[in-house]
Amino acid sequence: MSADFQGFPKDALAFLAELRENNRRDWFDAHKKRYERSVLAPAKAFVDSMGLRLKGLSPNIQAQARVNGSLFRLHRDVRFSNDKTPFKTHVGILFWEGASRMDSSCFYVHLEADSFMLACGMHEMDKQRLAEYRTAVADDERGKRLQELCARLRGQGYELGGLHYKRVPQGYDKAHPRAELLRHLGIWTGYTSTQVGRLLQADFLDFAMPHFKAMFPLHQWLLEMPTVG
């Protein structure tokens, strides 16, 4: 287990800002030790400390303080992208609940040099999960509950994301009372801030937790989606 989280050092933000301007392998290789010390080590400590708190909300939350666990790789996959810059200029941290980290509802933290985001939900669903989601949205009880919690989250100032399709999917009434929710490819809620000084403090955990608690009903709803097929 990593050391207790004491906040990210100022150099973590400086590193991400400089990487944005020097997104090259030679620059990164020359600053790799700095990345490991100022970004990776505190990110691992954050995973351990935040993971313990999230397990208080939902005991089966997965928090794995390693790259390709709760920490996304900094290296980009450029094989099918027009953007050939080799590195991401942000830190992505995931706490998920389910068999697969990329196909499960999760809590997510996104850190950049000049902003951060706290989020919860599913960014994008595969075909099976999308069918399950649509079945739940169309159900009077489950669908109305989602509609109400989304309205509550918006009322609390949280962003609601995942709307993707221009039309209601085939097989559903175009005039369905939850037509907009049926047009989602994923569904998530988030809070974004430019007050990056919060990241430098140990009490960033105390700041983040009330937001995750407010978002938790969406996580619960996603965990309860019916199985299709």
Side-chain angles (χ1 to χ4, degrees):
M1 179 175 285
S2 305
D4 289 342
F5 179 71
Q6 298 299 318
F8 286 88
K10 289 183 179 180
D11 191 51
L13 303 181
F15 175 89
L16 293 174
E18 291 172 35
L19 179 60
R20 188 183 293 170
E21 301 299 320
N22 301 277
N23 201 328
R24 306 184 313 273
R25 293 187 184 279
D26 62 332
W27 186 90
F28 179 81
D29 288 344
H31 293 81
K32 186 175 180 180
K33 295 292 186 183
R34 180 183 169 201
Y35 162 71
E36 292 172 347
R37 178 183 66 252
S38 296
V39 180
L40 188 57
K44 289 179 177 180
F46 177 81
V47 170
D48 282 335
S49 297
M50 192 78 242
L52 287 174
R53 297 196 181 202
L54 288 173
K55 285 178 183 291
L57 276 182
S58 199
N60 294 320
I61 286 286
Q62 296 293 310
Q64 299 180 9
R66 58 179 177 82
V67 175
N68 290 331
S70 288
L71 301 172
F72 284 93
R73 296 173 69 249
L74 196 67
H75 293 72
R76 295 180 61 249
D77 184 350
V78 300
R79 290 174 299 172
F80 309 108
S81 175
N82 291 327
D83 180 1
K84 298 302 182 183
T85 52
F87 301 102
K88 302 168 188 172
T89 57
H90 65 268
V91 177
I93 302 173
L94 193 73
F95 304 90
W96 73 98
E97 185 164 359
S100 167
R101 71 171 187 154
M102 299 307 295
D103 296 315
S104 301
S105 183
C106 69
F107 294 92
Y108 177 68
V109 182
H110 182 99
L111 311 178
E112 300 198 25
D114 49 13
S115 68
F116 67 88
M117 182 182 193
L118 305 171
C120 175
M122 295 184 71
H123 183 260
E124 186 174 309
M125 301 180 193
D126 62 21
K127 185 176 180 180
Q128 176 70 19
R129 295 292 280 163
L130 188 58
E132 295 168 356
Y133 167 79
R134 289 171 176 170
T135 295
V137 170
D139 179 80
D140 279 344
E141 189 276 326
R142 293 188 181 96
K144 287 179 181 177
R145 186 152 54 91
L146 176 64
Q147 194 171 40
E148 289 168 359
L149 73 87
C150 287
R152 186 164 63 250
L153 286 164
R154 281 175 166 151
Q156 293 171 328
Y158 294 106
E159 177 184 2
L160 189 70
L163 183 64
H164 178 79
Y165 297 102
K166 293 182 178 179
R167 298 181 178 86
V168 173
Q170 191 172 10
Y172 293 92
D173 186 352
K174 294 179 181 178
H176 194 284
R178 292 176 293 283
E180 182 174 301
L181 286 171
L182 287 169
R183 291 165 48 210
H184 279 239
L185 178 59
I187 186 162
W188 54 268
T189 186
Y191 166 86
T192 301
S193 175
T194 57
Q195 297 180 350
V196 291
R198 291 191 179 276
L199 301 172
L200 311 181
Q201 301 168 3
D203 67 0
F204 179 61
L205 298 165
D206 298 324
F207 173 82
M209 199 62 195
H211 290 290
F212 284 146
K213 285 182 178 178
M215 300 173 190
F216 183 57
L218 178 59
H219 180 72
Q220 287 180 303
W221 188 93
L222 287 165
L223 293 179
E224 295 167 3
M225 282 198 308
T227 300
V228 175

